[in-house]
Amino acid sequence: MNRKQFFLGIILASAVGALVALAGVNYLMKQNTASSFSQKQDTSLVNWLSDDKFVIPDGINFVASAEMVTPAVVHIKSNVSVDQSQMGADPFEEFFGFRNPNRGQQPREARSSGSGVIISEDGYIVTNNHVIENASRIDVSLEDNTRYTARVIGTDPTTDLALLKIEAKALPYVRFGDSDKVRVGEWVLAVGNPFDLTSTVTAGIISAKTRNIGILRDLENNLQIESFLQTDAVVNPGNSGGALVNLAGELIGINTAIASRTGTFNGYAFAIPSSIVKKVMDDLLEFGAVQRGLLGVQIRDVSPELEETLNEKLYTSKGVYVVDVNEGGGGADAGLKAGDVIIGVDGVETNNVAKLQEMVARKRPGDKVEVKYLRKGKEGKTTAMLKNISGDTKIVKKEPPKVLAFDGLTFEDVNTGVKQRLEIDGGAAIVSVENENWTKSGARAGFIITSIIGSNGRTKISGAENLIEVLKRNKGEEIVVLGLYPNGQEYYFEVKVD
């Protein structure tokens, strides 16, 4: 059995679909005064028992933890676009390559589901990126069946995490725990919505720590971080984004993947540790984007096989071998060299690549880390300043997109990541459609308009503001709207501009 067969059991709670609309312009600047979830969670003791009051009953009892956590684990349902076959030909299709809604079936909306965890009383929710990726609409249901429409604050594919927001107050939430203190053999609970079975709790133990299963490989310049907690608590499709908690009801991980030959639980599940989750959530809350501090080295696990390949003695059976050092990076500035073996960061042993990546992923550009290493068997220490992917220490904020309205429609600029993925250099995404004429013509939230064909010919759309200008120029006329969905499916429709 090969590695791919064993480890490609990720809980895909969502399919490729349409673009998430980020409404509420400047929300973070206007309404959010806390810059971290430690501050936000300290504002209330909702659904929480402090350390001095929480006592684990005699024997193993999961009731207290389950009762604390279950109300704060939500059911997430996403609308995604699914392509369908069509019949016949159309001159627009032949010339432009776009689907005509009047020939064959329109792209239909499918529903997919997963889980999420409320982490503040004012409605911030952590989930997996793959649960909400490319969704045109995100619905959130609480345990009491109260329902909300969520918007995306930010996502990080490199850790498979996303931060959502619903407009609510005084919500129950799960307090962050310390995944560093979790021990192998410790009892844990997994809470989520497997197979649409809401508010499901399962129990197990921590089977291992710092697991790298290669499930996020080849993402965004190979900056993916995998340092999973492994558990035997039962986790299945739909549990993605749900909570892994200790017996004190503290969040120690976000359930993300399973090792399976069948796609369902076979004994091992994997959760992103809270040490990474909290840092990513704080970054998305404060900046709208994750701030990645990089050591600037290419690395591999120390192993007998590596020694054999190198034909070199490494003087240790565990650690992280430095294959190469990037010129101008933090590691190079600190004096690290190819052939060094990193054995610790900030006083914590780094026995493998996963642990080293986890320790560095907690930092931001400009932060300093103490690195312990072996060089030809001799131990050394150095201090490295982490840099971003651009090679400097700047913190980059992601500004919320402008949301502009026109005649019952709202539009926003397409974010850089979506443009790069779809290989387009402009366009405007539909945020909402409350115009009956446009709805009947086939306009859908999430659709990206790239061109308009009117009486003056074809006009390329650079952004939301440009689109509204073009629509105003064509007021009262029939136009052809060309574009594509975030899954890459091209499409067009004809509509009269009122």
Side-chain angles (χ1 to χ4, degrees):
M1 179 181 62
N2 61 37
R3 180 183 179 89
K4 180 176 180 181
Q5 290 173 322
F6 184 71
F7 283 119
L8 286 184
I10 191 168
I11 309 174
L12 292 177
S14 62
V16 176
L19 178 69
V20 175
L22 301 182
V25 181
N26 296 325
Y27 178 87
L28 294 179
M29 294 183 286
K30 292 182 179 179
Q31 297 191 37
N32 174 47
T33 56
S35 61
S36 75
F37 283 99
S38 294
Q39 294 171 321
K40 294 184 76 65
Q41 292 189 344
D42 285 342
T43 61
S44 171
L45 296 180
V46 176
N47 204 31
W48 170 247
L49 298 177
S50 60
D51 291 338
D52 59 339
K53 294 181 181 179
F54 185 85
V55 178
I56 298 176
D58 293 336
I60 300 300
N61 192 316
F62 307 120
V63 175
S65 180
E67 289 181 347
M68 291 165 63
V69 173
T70 302
V73 176
V74 302
H75 194 184
I76 297 176
K77 292 190 175 182
S78 302
N79 283 14
V80 295
S81 178
V82 178
D83 192 11
Q84 298 189 72
S85 61
Q86 58 175 3
M87 299 295 291
D90 181 275
F92 278 119
E93 294 170 17
E94 293 174 1
F95 188 76
F96 296 114
F98 290 81
R99 288 194 69 225
N100 185 338
N102 299 316
R103 302 193 67 84
Q105 295 176 304
Q106 297 186 44
R108 66 180 178 87
E109 290 278 301
R111 297 277 277 177
S112 60
S113 70
S115 305
V117 184
I118 303 174
I119 53 175
S120 72
E121 65 173 356
D122 57 345
Y124 284 95
I125 297 170
V126 58
T127 187
N128 284 134
N129 178 62
H130 76 259
V131 170
I132 55 88
E133 187 175 22
N134 296 325
S136 60
R137 178 185 171 94
I138 301 171
D139 294 318
V140 171
S141 299
L142 275 58
E143 184 196 28
D144 63 4
N145 209 31
T146 305
R147 300 184 182 185
Y148 301 90
T149 298
R151 58 188 177 85
V152 177
I153 299 301
T155 63
D156 181 35
T158 65
T159 55
D160 196 17
L161 290 169
L163 179 62
L164 309 181
K165 180 72 170 68
I166 59 176
E167 299 307 317
K169 298 293 182 184
L171 293 172
Y173 65 84
V174 184
R175 197 176 183 90
F176 278 106
D178 187 349
S179 56
D180 289 345
K181 295 181 180 179
V182 174
R183 293 179 294 175
V184 173
E186 180 178 339
W187 280 102
V188 292
L189 300 183
V191 186
N193 305 281
F195 305 119
D196 276 340
L197 300 172
T198 58
S199 303
T200 298
V201 180
T202 59
I205 63 169
I206 295 294
S207 305
K209 299 177 68 174
T210 65
R211 287 290 197 211
N212 184 327
I213 60 175
I215 212 160
L216 299 178
R217 58 183 174 271
D218 301 325
L219 289 176
E220 297 201 8
N221 301 309
N222 289 317
L223 294 179
Q224 65 272 10
I225 301 295
E226 292 191 29
S227 186
F228 294 118
L229 298 175
Q230 180 180 317
T231 177
D232 65 355
V234 178
V235 170
N236 273 301
N239 273 109
S240 280
L244 187 71
V245 300
N246 59 23
L247 293 190
E250 298 171 315
L251 185 68
I252 58 170
I254 295 296
N255 296 315
T256 300
I258 55 176
S260 174
R261 299 183 181 92
T262 64
T264 56
F265 184 73
N266 281 177
Y268 301 104
F270 302 91
I272 303 166
S274 62
S275 60
I276 294 177
V277 175
K278 185 179 182 303
K279 191 270 181 180
V280 171
M281 294 303 102
D282 285 346
D283 279 356
L284 295 178
L285 175 69
E286 186 173 359
F287 306 112
V290 174
Q291 309 299 315
R292 288 290 300 275
L294 305 175
L295 191 55
V297 293
Q298 299 173 37
I299 52 181
R300 287 183 61 180
D301 285 330
V302 168
S303 67
E305 292 78 13
L306 178 60
E307 281 191 322
E308 184 176 339
T309 299
L310 297 172
N311 194 26
E312 177 184 347
K313 184 174 178 59
L314 300 179
Y315 302 97
T316 179
S317 60
K318 55 188 179 181
V320 180
Y321 180 79
V322 178
V323 177
D324 199 7
V325 179
N326 300 339
E327 185 178 351
D333 292 348
L336 292 177
K337 297 180 179 180
D340 290 346
V341 177
I342 299 174
I343 57 175
V345 170
D346 287 342
V348 177
E349 289 186 355
T350 54
N351 293 331
N352 52 39
V353 166
K355 188 60 181 180
L356 175 59
Q357 288 181 326
E358 178 189 338
M359 293 300 297
V360 175
R362 303 178 189 189
K363 305 292 185 178
R364 292 173 176 170
D367 288 345
K368 294 181 179 180
V369 294
E370 182 185 74
V371 181
K372 183 189 292 186
Y373 62 92
L374 296 176
R375 182 173 293 164
K376 295 184 179 180
K378 294 183 179 180
E379 188 175 299
K381 283 185 180 181
T382 186
T383 299
M385 179 178 287
L386 304 179
K387 299 184 180 182
N388 60 31
I389 195 169
S390 300
D392 56 44
T393 58
K394 293 179 180 178
I395 297 294
V396 180
K397 286 191 175 184
K398 181 180 179 182
E399 295 297 330
K402 290 182 179 179
V403 179
L404 302 177
F406 174 81
D407 195 23
L409 304 153
T410 55
F411 307 101
E412 68 181 10
D413 293 340
V414 183
N415 71 56
T416 302
V418 173
K419 287 193 288 188
Q420 290 176 345
R421 179 167 56 81
L422 298 177
E423 298 181 346
I424 58 178
D425 55 10
I430 299 176
V431 175
S432 63
V433 185
E434 296 180 7
N435 182 308
E436 185 177 358
N437 192 25
W438 281 67
T439 300
K440 289 180 178 179
S441 296
R444 298 290 183 270
F447 182 70
I448 300 170
I449 299 173
T450 56
S451 296
I452 297 290
I453 300 177
S455 58
N456 295 319
R458 181 171 178 171
T459 303
K460 192 173 182 180
I461 302 303
S462 60
E465 189 172 347
N466 173 235
L467 171 61
I468 292 176
E469 291 174 355
V470 174
L471 292 177
K472 287 179 178 178
R473 290 201 303 266
N474 288 275
K475 200 167 182 63
E477 297 184 11
E478 290 276 354
I479 62 170
V480 179
V481 180
L482 302 99
L484 69 170
Y485 285 92
N487 64 0
Q489 177 190 336
E490 295 177 324
Y491 189 68
Y492 83 90
F493 55 89
E494 301 171 57
V495 66
K496 183 176 181 180
V497 183
D498 297 328

